[in-house]
Amino acid sequence: MVQKMKAAVVEEPGKLVVKEVPVPEIGDDEVLIKVKYTGICGTDFSIYTGKYSKDKLPLIPGHEFSGVIEKVGRNAVGLKIGDRVTADINMSCGHCFYCKRGQKLMCPEFAQLGIHVNGTYAEYVKAPWELVHKLPENIDFLKGAFIEPVSCVIHSAKAMQVEIGSSVAILGSKLGMLHAVVAKTRGAAPVILLGRNEKRLEMARKMGADYTINVKKVSDPVEEVRKLTGGRGADFVIEAVGTPETYSQALEMTRPGGVLAAFGITGVDDTIPLKPFDIVLGERKIVGSCAGFGNDWSDAIALLQYGRIDPEPMFSMIVPVEELEDALKELQENPELTKVFVSTEIGKREIL
Protein backbone atom coordinates (compact mmCIF):
# COMPACT_ATOMS: atom_id res chain seq x y z
CA MET A 1 0.00 0.00 0.00
CA VAL A 2 1.35 3.43 -1.02
CA GLN A 3 1.97 5.71 1.96
CA LYS A 4 0.45 9.17 1.72
CA MET A 5 1.52 12.54 3.11
CA LYS A 6 0.19 16.07 3.26
CA ALA A 7 1.80 18.50 0.83
CA ALA A 8 1.25 21.91 -0.76
CA VAL A 9 1.28 21.59 -4.55
CA VAL A 10 1.38 24.42 -7.08
CA GLU A 11 -0.71 22.79 -9.80
CA GLU A 12 -0.67 25.76 -12.17
CA PRO A 13 0.18 29.46 -11.87
CA GLY A 14 -1.96 30.98 -9.12
CA LYS A 15 -3.36 27.65 -7.96
CA LEU A 16 -1.92 26.09 -4.80
CA VAL A 17 -3.63 23.05 -3.30
CA VAL A 18 -2.89 21.27 -0.01
CA LYS A 19 -3.64 17.60 -0.55
CA GLU A 20 -2.46 14.04 0.02
CA VAL A 21 0.30 12.78 -2.26
CA PRO A 22 2.54 9.69 -2.14
CA VAL A 23 5.47 9.76 0.27
CA PRO A 24 8.69 9.88 -1.83
CA GLU A 25 10.44 6.55 -2.36
CA ILE A 26 14.18 6.77 -1.81
CA GLY A 27 16.98 5.14 -3.77
CA ASP A 28 20.21 3.69 -2.43
CA ASP A 29 21.92 7.10 -2.51
CA GLU A 30 19.12 9.04 -0.84
CA VAL A 31 17.57 9.66 2.56
CA LEU A 32 13.97 10.40 3.51
CA ILE A 33 13.57 13.39 5.83
CA LYS A 34 10.54 14.24 7.95
CA VAL A 35 10.27 18.01 7.52
CA LYS A 36 9.98 20.18 10.64
CA TYR A 37 10.02 23.71 9.20
CA THR A 38 10.38 25.39 5.82
CA GLY A 39 11.17 29.08 5.44
CA ILE A 40 9.27 30.99 2.77
CA CYS A 41 11.56 32.36 0.06
CA GLY A 42 10.77 34.92 -2.64
CA THR A 43 11.41 32.18 -5.19
CA ASP A 44 8.38 30.33 -3.80
CA PHE A 45 6.14 33.26 -4.67
CA SER A 46 7.63 33.37 -8.18
CA ILE A 47 6.84 29.66 -8.59
CA TYR A 48 3.31 30.23 -7.29
CA THR A 49 2.68 33.05 -9.78
CA GLY A 50 4.27 31.20 -12.71
CA LYS A 51 7.16 33.65 -13.07
CA TYR A 52 9.64 30.85 -12.30
CA SER A 53 9.74 27.09 -12.94
CA LYS A 54 6.43 27.23 -14.83
CA ASP A 55 7.48 24.25 -16.96
CA LYS A 56 8.02 22.16 -13.79
CA LEU A 57 4.42 22.38 -12.57
CA PRO A 58 2.77 20.66 -10.81
CA LEU A 59 5.43 21.03 -8.12
CA ILE A 60 5.81 20.92 -4.35
CA PRO A 61 7.92 24.03 -3.68
CA GLY A 62 9.96 24.79 -0.55
CA HIS A 63 13.71 24.52 -0.04
CA GLU A 64 14.79 26.34 3.16
CA PHE A 65 14.19 23.51 5.60
CA SER A 66 15.14 21.37 8.56
CA GLY A 67 13.98 17.95 9.66
CA VAL A 68 14.73 14.48 11.00
CA ILE A 69 15.95 11.51 8.98
CA GLU A 70 13.21 8.88 8.64
CA LYS A 71 14.87 6.40 6.25
CA VAL A 72 18.43 5.91 5.01
CA GLY A 73 19.53 4.49 1.65
CA ARG A 74 21.99 1.60 1.74
CA ASN A 75 24.87 3.69 0.32
CA ALA A 76 24.53 6.57 2.79
CA VAL A 77 27.55 7.05 5.04
CA GLY A 78 27.61 8.74 8.44
CA LEU A 79 23.84 9.23 8.65
CA LYS A 80 21.22 7.38 10.66
CA ILE A 81 17.51 7.46 11.42
CA GLY A 82 16.77 10.20 13.94
CA ASP A 83 19.56 12.58 12.88
CA ARG A 84 18.55 16.26 12.91
CA VAL A 85 19.47 17.63 9.50
CA THR A 86 19.11 20.04 6.63
CA ALA A 87 20.32 19.59 3.05
CA ASP A 88 22.12 21.51 0.34
CA ILE A 89 19.43 21.92 -2.32
CA ASN A 90 21.79 22.11 -5.31
CA MET A 91 22.07 18.89 -7.29
CA SER A 92 24.34 18.32 -10.30
CA CYS A 93 25.79 15.49 -12.37
CA GLY A 94 29.21 15.57 -10.69
CA HIS A 95 31.25 14.76 -13.78
CA CYS A 96 30.75 17.48 -16.44
CA PHE A 97 33.15 20.32 -17.35
CA TYR A 98 31.63 22.60 -14.70
CA CYS A 99 31.25 20.07 -11.90
CA LYS A 100 34.91 19.05 -12.20
CA ARG A 101 35.85 22.70 -11.72
CA GLY A 102 33.68 23.19 -8.67
CA GLN A 103 31.08 25.21 -10.61
CA LYS A 104 28.11 22.90 -10.11
CA LEU A 105 25.61 25.73 -10.53
CA MET A 106 26.56 25.82 -14.23
CA CYS A 107 26.00 22.07 -14.72
CA PRO A 108 23.67 21.29 -17.67
CA GLU A 109 21.83 18.86 -15.37
CA PHE A 110 21.65 21.29 -12.45
CA ALA A 111 18.45 21.06 -10.39
CA GLN A 112 17.35 22.52 -7.07
CA LEU A 113 15.15 20.94 -4.45
CA GLY A 114 11.78 22.66 -4.32
CA ILE A 115 12.49 24.68 -7.46
CA HIS A 116 13.00 22.07 -10.17
CA VAL A 117 12.03 18.92 -8.24
CA ASN A 118 9.56 18.39 -5.39
CA GLY A 119 10.52 20.17 -2.21
CA THR A 120 9.68 20.65 1.42
CA TYR A 121 6.18 22.12 1.83
CA ALA A 122 5.29 18.56 2.73
CA GLU A 123 5.56 16.09 5.56
CA TYR A 124 8.49 14.32 3.90
CA VAL A 125 11.17 15.07 1.33
CA LYS A 126 13.95 12.98 -0.16
CA ALA A 127 17.49 14.23 -0.76
CA PRO A 128 20.86 12.83 -1.90
CA TRP A 129 22.69 11.67 1.21
CA GLU A 130 25.92 13.43 0.17
CA LEU A 131 24.13 16.80 0.37
CA VAL A 132 22.73 16.26 3.88
CA HIS A 133 24.19 18.24 6.79
CA LYS A 134 23.70 17.36 10.43
CA LEU A 135 22.58 20.14 12.76
CA PRO A 136 24.77 20.85 15.81
CA GLU A 137 22.97 20.49 19.14
CA ASN A 138 22.69 24.24 19.66
CA ILE A 139 21.04 24.91 16.28
CA ASP A 140 17.31 24.39 16.66
CA PHE A 141 14.99 23.48 13.80
CA LEU A 142 14.04 27.09 13.05
CA LYS A 143 17.65 28.18 12.68
CA GLY A 144 18.27 24.94 10.77
CA ALA A 145 15.65 26.03 8.26
CA PHE A 146 17.56 29.30 7.81
CA ILE A 147 20.89 27.76 6.81
CA GLU A 148 20.11 27.88 3.08
CA PRO A 149 19.71 31.69 2.86
CA VAL A 150 22.81 32.15 5.04
CA SER A 151 24.78 29.94 2.62
CA CYS A 152 23.63 32.11 -0.31
CA VAL A 153 24.82 35.28 1.41
CA ILE A 154 28.16 33.66 2.29
CA HIS A 155 28.60 32.61 -1.35
CA SER A 156 28.04 36.23 -2.41
CA ALA A 157 30.62 37.53 0.11
CA LYS A 158 33.17 35.01 -1.14
CA ALA A 159 32.49 35.97 -4.77
CA MET A 160 33.18 39.63 -3.94
CA GLN A 161 36.22 38.80 -1.78
CA VAL A 162 35.30 41.43 0.78
CA GLU A 163 38.42 42.73 2.53
CA ILE A 164 38.96 43.87 6.12
CA GLY A 165 38.27 47.57 6.53
CA SER A 166 36.46 47.92 3.20
CA SER A 167 33.17 49.78 2.83
CA VAL A 168 30.10 47.77 1.85
CA ALA A 169 26.76 49.17 0.66
CA ILE A 170 23.74 46.88 0.37
CA LEU A 171 20.53 47.67 -1.48
CA GLY A 172 17.51 45.85 -0.05
CA SER A 173 16.70 45.54 3.63
CA LYS A 174 14.90 42.19 3.77
CA LEU A 175 17.73 39.73 3.11
CA GLY A 176 20.10 42.69 2.98
CA MET A 177 20.34 42.74 6.76
CA LEU A 178 21.83 39.26 6.60
CA HIS A 179 24.35 40.49 4.00
CA ALA A 180 25.18 43.27 6.46
CA VAL A 181 25.89 40.81 9.29
CA VAL A 182 28.15 38.67 7.08
CA ALA A 183 29.99 41.76 5.80
CA LYS A 184 30.63 42.86 9.36
CA THR A 185 31.80 39.36 10.25
CA ARG A 186 34.37 39.63 7.44
CA GLY A 187 35.69 42.88 8.94
CA ALA A 188 34.05 45.38 6.59
CA ALA A 189 33.69 48.98 7.81
CA PRO A 190 31.48 50.82 7.34
CA VAL A 191 28.51 48.63 6.43
CA ILE A 192 25.67 50.64 4.87
CA LEU A 193 22.19 49.27 4.28
CA LEU A 194 19.61 50.93 2.04
CA GLY A 195 15.92 50.03 2.21
CA ARG A 196 12.34 51.29 2.31
CA ASN A 197 11.01 49.86 5.57
CA GLU A 198 11.99 51.63 8.78
CA LYS A 199 11.30 48.61 10.99
CA ARG A 200 13.70 46.46 8.97
CA LEU A 201 16.31 49.21 8.91
CA GLU A 202 16.08 49.48 12.70
CA MET A 203 16.46 45.73 12.96
CA ALA A 204 19.53 45.90 10.70
CA ARG A 205 21.11 48.52 12.96
CA LYS A 206 20.60 46.25 15.96
CA MET A 207 22.14 43.37 14.02
CA GLY A 208 25.25 45.38 13.18
CA ALA A 209 24.80 47.75 10.23
CA ASP A 210 26.81 50.94 10.81
CA TYR A 211 24.51 53.15 8.74
CA THR A 212 21.04 52.73 7.29
CA ILE A 213 19.44 54.86 4.59
CA ASN A 214 15.69 55.01 4.08
CA VAL A 215 15.48 55.60 0.33
CA LYS A 216 11.98 57.05 0.73
CA LYS A 217 13.40 59.91 2.81
CA VAL A 218 16.35 60.98 0.64
CA SER A 219 16.41 62.50 -2.83
CA ASP A 220 19.51 60.66 -4.07
CA PRO A 221 20.54 57.34 -2.44
CA VAL A 222 23.75 57.22 -4.51
CA GLU A 223 24.88 60.60 -3.17
CA GLU A 224 24.08 59.52 0.40
CA VAL A 225 26.41 56.51 0.05
CA ARG A 226 29.13 58.71 -1.42
CA LYS A 227 28.86 61.05 1.57
CA LEU A 228 29.58 58.11 3.88
CA THR A 229 32.53 56.87 1.81
CA GLY A 230 34.70 59.93 1.30
CA GLY A 231 32.88 60.97 -1.86
CA ARG A 232 34.14 57.92 -3.75
CA GLY A 233 31.36 55.37 -3.45
CA ALA A 234 31.57 52.00 -1.70
CA ASP A 235 34.37 49.50 -2.19
CA PHE A 236 31.79 46.72 -2.47
CA VAL A 237 28.10 47.03 -3.36
CA ILE A 238 25.50 44.26 -3.12
CA GLU A 239 22.27 44.52 -5.10
CA ALA A 240 19.71 42.43 -3.20
CA VAL A 241 16.45 43.83 -4.57
CA GLY A 242 16.30 42.69 -8.18
CA THR A 243 14.98 45.68 -10.15
CA PRO A 244 16.57 47.58 -13.05
CA GLU A 245 16.37 50.81 -11.04
CA THR A 246 18.26 49.45 -8.04
CA TYR A 247 20.86 47.78 -10.27
CA SER A 248 21.53 51.16 -11.94
CA GLN A 249 21.89 52.78 -8.52
CA ALA A 250 24.18 49.97 -7.32
CA LEU A 251 26.54 50.48 -10.24
CA GLU A 252 26.61 54.24 -9.69
CA MET A 253 27.48 53.88 -6.00
CA THR A 254 30.35 51.44 -6.70
CA ARG A 255 33.61 53.38 -6.53
CA PRO A 256 36.24 53.21 -9.30
CA GLY A 257 38.12 49.97 -8.72
CA GLY A 258 35.21 48.62 -6.69
CA VAL A 259 33.08 45.49 -7.00
CA LEU A 260 29.35 45.11 -7.59
CA ALA A 261 27.80 41.81 -6.51
CA ALA A 262 24.66 40.96 -8.51
CA PHE A 263 22.48 39.03 -6.05
CA GLY A 264 18.89 40.17 -6.63
CA ILE A 265 17.03 38.33 -9.38
CA THR A 266 15.29 40.52 -11.96
CA GLY A 267 12.83 39.53 -14.65
CA VAL A 268 14.29 37.49 -17.50
CA ASP A 269 13.96 40.34 -19.99
CA ASP A 270 14.93 43.23 -17.68
CA THR A 271 17.87 45.39 -18.78
CA ILE A 272 19.79 48.35 -17.38
CA PRO A 273 21.82 51.09 -19.08
CA LEU A 274 25.50 50.17 -18.95
CA LYS A 275 28.37 52.50 -19.85
CA PRO A 276 31.39 50.39 -20.83
CA PHE A 277 33.47 53.59 -20.52
CA ASP A 278 32.84 53.67 -16.75
CA ILE A 279 33.56 49.95 -16.39
CA VAL A 280 36.81 50.06 -18.38
CA LEU A 281 38.35 53.31 -17.17
CA GLY A 282 36.97 52.86 -13.67
CA GLU A 283 38.12 49.21 -13.55
CA ARG A 284 34.89 48.28 -11.81
CA LYS A 285 34.06 44.60 -11.50
CA ILE A 286 30.66 42.92 -11.59
CA VAL A 287 30.29 39.44 -10.11
CA GLY A 288 27.19 37.26 -10.19
CA SER A 289 26.14 35.21 -7.17
CA CYS A 290 23.31 32.71 -7.38
CA ALA A 291 23.27 30.19 -4.53
CA GLY A 292 25.39 28.74 -1.78
CA PHE A 293 26.74 25.20 -2.11
CA GLY A 294 29.50 22.94 -0.83
CA ASN A 295 31.58 24.66 1.84
CA ASP A 296 29.14 27.59 1.90
CA TRP A 297 26.74 25.32 3.80
CA SER A 298 29.40 24.17 6.26
CA ASP A 299 30.45 27.78 6.81
CA ALA A 300 26.82 28.86 7.36
CA ILE A 301 26.38 26.14 9.98
CA ALA A 302 29.60 27.22 11.73
CA LEU A 303 28.56 30.90 11.87
CA LEU A 304 25.19 29.96 13.35
CA GLN A 305 26.68 27.37 15.72
CA TYR A 306 29.17 29.82 17.21
CA GLY A 307 26.87 32.82 17.33
CA ARG A 308 28.54 34.95 14.67
CA ILE A 309 25.07 35.27 13.17
CA ASP A 310 21.88 35.41 15.23
CA PRO A 311 18.95 35.44 12.78
CA GLU A 312 16.18 35.22 15.39
CA PRO A 313 15.29 38.96 15.18
CA MET A 314 14.34 38.28 11.56
CA PHE A 315 11.89 35.49 12.43
CA SER A 316 8.27 36.70 12.24
CA MET A 317 5.91 33.73 12.53
CA ILE A 318 5.14 30.07 11.78
CA VAL A 319 2.02 29.15 9.80
CA PRO A 320 0.39 25.77 9.13
CA VAL A 321 0.88 24.49 5.60
CA GLU A 322 -2.82 25.05 4.98
CA GLU A 323 -2.14 28.80 5.21
CA LEU A 324 0.85 28.79 2.85
CA GLU A 325 -1.00 30.51 0.01
CA ASP A 326 -2.17 33.32 2.31
CA ALA A 327 1.31 33.69 3.76
CA LEU A 328 2.90 33.98 0.29
CA LYS A 329 0.58 36.90 -0.47
CA GLU A 330 1.02 38.52 2.94
CA LEU A 331 4.79 38.61 2.52
CA GLN A 332 4.33 40.66 -0.65
CA GLU A 333 1.88 43.07 0.98
CA ASN A 334 3.09 43.41 4.58
CA PRO A 335 6.57 44.97 4.88
CA GLU A 336 6.52 44.28 8.62
CA LEU A 337 7.06 40.55 7.95
CA THR A 338 10.61 39.33 7.42
CA LYS A 339 10.96 35.54 7.69
CA VAL A 340 7.92 33.29 7.86
CA PHE A 341 8.14 29.53 8.38
CA VAL A 342 5.69 26.80 7.37
CA SER A 343 4.93 23.59 9.26
CA THR A 344 2.73 20.55 8.61
CA GLU A 345 2.67 19.84 12.36
CA ILE A 346 0.74 22.84 13.72
CA GLY A 347 -2.90 23.85 13.44
CA LYS A 348 -2.69 27.62 13.88
CA ARG A 349 -0.28 30.49 13.47
CA GLU A 350 2.48 31.09 16.00
CA ILE A 351 3.96 34.60 16.31
CA LEU A 352 7.69 34.56 17.05
Side-chain angles (χ1 to χ4, degrees):
M1 185 176 179
V2 177
Q3 285 186 299
K4 296 283 188 175
M5 67 175 183
K6 181 165 56 177
V9 183
V10 177
E11 297 188 333
E12 59 187 61
K15 183 181 180 182
L16 187 151
V17 179
V18 177
K19 61 182 183 180
E20 285 198 338
V21 300
V23 173
E25 294 185 7
I26 64 169
D28 293 341
D29 296 313
E30 297 174 316
V31 298
L32 183 69
I33 301 169
K34 183 173 177 57
V35 179
K36 297 293 290 187
Y37 297 113
T38 298
I40 296 180
C41 173
T43 304
D44 301 329
F45 185 77
S46 295
I47 293 171
Y48 168 67
T49 59
K51 180 180 177 181
Y52 200 69
S53 292
K54 186 175 180 180
D55 60 332
K56 302 298 182 182
L57 303 183
L59 177 76
I60 302 171
H63 58 275
E64 302 178 5
F65 82 105
S66 62
V68 178
I69 292 181
E70 185 88 0
K71 292 182 180 179
V72 180
R74 69 175 66 186
N75 293 335
V77 176
L79 297 173
K80 66 182 185 302
I81 294 171
D83 282 344
R84 301 165 62 255
V85 297
T86 185
D88 183 340
I89 69 169
N90 303 293
M91 298 172 282
S92 65
C93 73
H95 55 75
C96 71
F97 173 90
Y98 295 105
C99 287
K100 289 180 178 179
R101 286 159 179 77
Q103 298 174 311
K104 66 186 293 186
L105 303 182
M106 309 299 111
C107 174
E109 297 181 26
F110 177 69
Q112 291 175 301
L113 192 74
I115 298 173
H116 306 104
V117 299
N118 283 334
T120 60
Y121 290 130
E123 292 182 83
Y124 297 94
V125 68
K126 67 177 182 179
W129 75 267
E130 292 179 309
L131 298 182
V132 172
H133 293 264
K134 294 181 183 179
L135 300 181
E137 289 185 5
N138 67 338
I139 294 183
D140 61 26
F141 286 116
L142 281 179
K143 288 182 180 178
F146 200 67
I147 290 170
E148 193 274 342
V150 175
S151 76
C152 293
V153 170
I154 287 173
H155 187 73
S156 178
K158 290 178 181 177
M160 287 189 301
Q161 299 180 341
V162 174
E163 299 171 351
I164 293 174
S166 58
S167 57
V168 176
I170 305 146
L171 291 87
S173 60
K174 193 170 186 180
L175 196 55
M177 67 181 77
L178 187 56
H179 281 282
V181 174
V182 172
K184 185 174 180 179
T185 300
R186 289 177 71 92
V191 176
I192 307 162
L193 182 65
L194 299 91
R196 303 176 66 85
N197 181 268
E198 195 57 47
K199 182 178 179 180
R200 289 178 185 166
L201 293 175
E202 180 183 354
M203 190 183 302
R205 289 191 292 272
K206 291 179 179 179
M207 292 178 70
D210 297 298
Y211 300 104
T212 59
I213 298 171
N214 189 325
V215 297
K216 295 190 296 184
K217 298 181 179 180
V218 299
S219 58
D220 187 351
V222 175
E223 185 57 33
E224 294 299 317
V225 171
R226 287 175 178 162
K227 287 179 183 178
L228 295 171
T229 55
R232 298 179 298 275
D235 300 318
F236 298 90
V237 177
I238 304 167
E239 202 292 338
V241 179
T243 69
E245 179 187 7
T246 47
Y247 264 106
S248 293
Q249 291 174 343
L251 192 54
E252 285 186 55
M253 65 180 65
T254 304
R255 71 160 174 83
V259 180
L260 166 61
F263 185 87
I265 299 177
T266 66
V268 175
D269 298 320
D270 286 340
T271 60
I272 63 170
L274 184 65
K275 297 179 181 178
F277 183 89
D278 292 340
I279 302 295
V280 176
L281 271 70
E283 291 200 346
R284 293 174 172 86
K285 299 179 180 66
I286 301 174
V287 297
S289 175
C290 177
F293 66 96
N295 288 340
D296 300 327
W297 281 73
S298 301
D299 294 341
I301 290 171
L303 291 181
L304 290 167
Q305 180 180 6
Y306 291 99
R308 301 299 188 271
I309 295 175
D310 178 12
E312 287 191 359
M314 299 175 67
F315 297 172
S316 299
M317 64 180 177
I318 308 168
V319 302
V321 70
E322 289 81 3
E323 295 186 27
L324 171 59
E325 187 170 20
D326 291 338
L328 287 169
K329 295 175 181 177
E330 286 179 46
L331 276 166
Q332 304 304 307
E333 300 165 358
N334 184 356
E336 299 298 309
L337 296 176
T338 303
K339 176 55 66 175
V340 175
F341 298 92
V342 175
S343 171
T344 61
E345 299 180 348
I346 63 173
K348 62 179 181 179
R349 295 186 175 202
E350 298 177 8
I351 305 301
L352 300 174

